[in-house]
Amino acid sequence: MSARDLFDLTGKTALVTGSSGGLGLAMARGLAEAGTAVILNGRDEAKLAAAAQALAAAGHQVTTSSFDVSDEAAIMAAFDGFDRAGTNIDILVNNAGIQLRKPMVDLAADEWRRVIETNLTSAFMVGREAARRMIARGQGGKIINIGSLTSEVARATVAPYTAAKGGIKQLTRSMAAEWAVHGIQANAIGPGYIVTDMNKALVEDAKFDAWVRGRTPSGRWGMPDDLIGVAVFLASPASAYVNGQIIYVDGGMLAVL
């Protein structure tokens, strides 16, 4: 197989959760540019439609599936719909997530559960439904979970997010341990500090902005497009012998003191 073919995703279909904007939309666009048909997911149907329209206008094959990734019944209904339509998910990107910044002593159990369910349990549930079908088809597949720097380290006031993203690293390893025999590669991406709507308040905080730039060897914030290369790699035949890993895209932040 040529180097070009190793990264060719023509004929594949990718479901990217939380892809009406930000990191999810950037990765979906990158996968589409590599040849996949993409299914965008989100809860805001108007925003989802606008994202799909933009990709379609660029010549990409795109559809949408609006469901709440923390709702098991909604997930199962969505996959039943894919089955009825004859849509096979070859690549799953578990990207949907939320953030909640609050000291642990002030954190309610319901707030904790909401972050864990959206950021971690959803990846298990959506991943399970995708894997069931990948296994039944017998043609393998790719699962890419989105972790974080907090899959490895912690910061104050984001305890549930940190616990969830630490769990993503171990969930990814568990997926590899169980599903590699079926030709499924499950890996994760750990973004560093990226300019997104979720981080808007941090980007606009002059002190925090200076800390990120000073703490990161690359000297800048990441951009959503910085995740495209690794997403395409992990979705493609090029990563056929890569399994259970998390790749940090952080400008070198974790590499230095």
Side-chain angles (χ1 to χ4, degrees):
M1 186 177 289
S2 71
R4 184 185 299 274
D5 290 339
L6 281 173
F7 295 93
D8 184 9
L9 297 175
T10 301
K12 302 296 185 181
T13 297
L15 168 63
V16 184
T17 68
S19 51
S20 58
L23 302 184
L25 183 56
M27 288 185 288
R29 175 167 46 81
L31 293 172
E33 289 170 350
T36 68
V38 294
I39 304 171
L40 302 183
N41 159 264
R43 290 185 298 175
D44 185 329
E45 294 191 10
K47 190 175 180 182
L48 200 58
Q53 185 176 12
L55 288 185
H60 302 306
Q61 186 177 345
V62 56
T63 56
T64 63
S65 182
S66 180
F67 62 89
D68 183 346
V69 296
S70 66
D71 183 332
E72 184 175 29
I75 292 167
M76 296 180 75
F79 274 87
D80 286 344
F82 298 150
D83 294 342
R84 288 193 300 272
T87 300
N88 295 327
I89 307 300
D90 305 295
I91 301 157
L92 168 65
V93 182
N94 278 314
N95 169 74
I98 59 173
Q99 179 61 284
L100 174 66
R101 295 183 174 90
K102 197 172 188 178
M104 272 193 285
V105 293
D106 298 326
L107 196 64
D110 283 349
E111 293 173 319
W112 171 275
R113 281 190 288 267
R114 181 165 60 91
V115 176
I116 297 294
E117 288 170 5
T118 303
N119 291 13
L120 176 58
T121 307
S122 68
F124 154 66
M125 293 190 296
V126 180
R128 179 194 64 196
E129 294 309 304
R132 282 174 172 169
R133 290 156 175 83
M134 291 173 181
I135 292 167
R137 290 198 303 273
Q139 297 175 1
K142 301 282 191 172
I143 296 175
I144 304 169
N145 298 318
I146 303 304
S148 163
L149 291 179
T150 59
S151 296
E152 206 69 43
V153 295
R155 281 186 63 84
T157 75
V158 290
Y161 184 85
T162 300
K165 294 302 186 178
I168 283 289
K169 180 170 74 170
Q170 293 301 96
L171 174 65
T172 301
R173 290 173 171 173
S174 296
M175 288 176 167
E178 292 199 21
W179 300 337
V181 68
H182 300 289
I184 297 171
Q185 289 90 54
N187 292 289
I189 301 172
Y193 283 97
I194 312 290
V195 177
T196 63
D197 288 344
M198 184 183 291
N199 287 330
K200 186 174 186 293
L202 300 181
V203 175
E204 293 175 350
D205 182 321
K207 184 177 179 180
F208 196 88
D209 173 63
W211 178 83
V212 168
R213 293 176 186 276
R215 180 68 176 74
T216 305
S218 293
R220 67 174 177 87
W221 288 74
M223 301 301 293
D225 281 9
D226 286 321
L227 270 65
I228 291 175
V230 69
V232 171
F233 166 65
L234 292 176
S236 73
S239 60
Y241 202 54
V242 179
N243 217 344
Q245 304 302 309
I246 181 166
I247 300 175
Y248 292 99
V249 183
D250 66 351
M253 181 176 276
L254 282 178
V256 300
L257 292 175

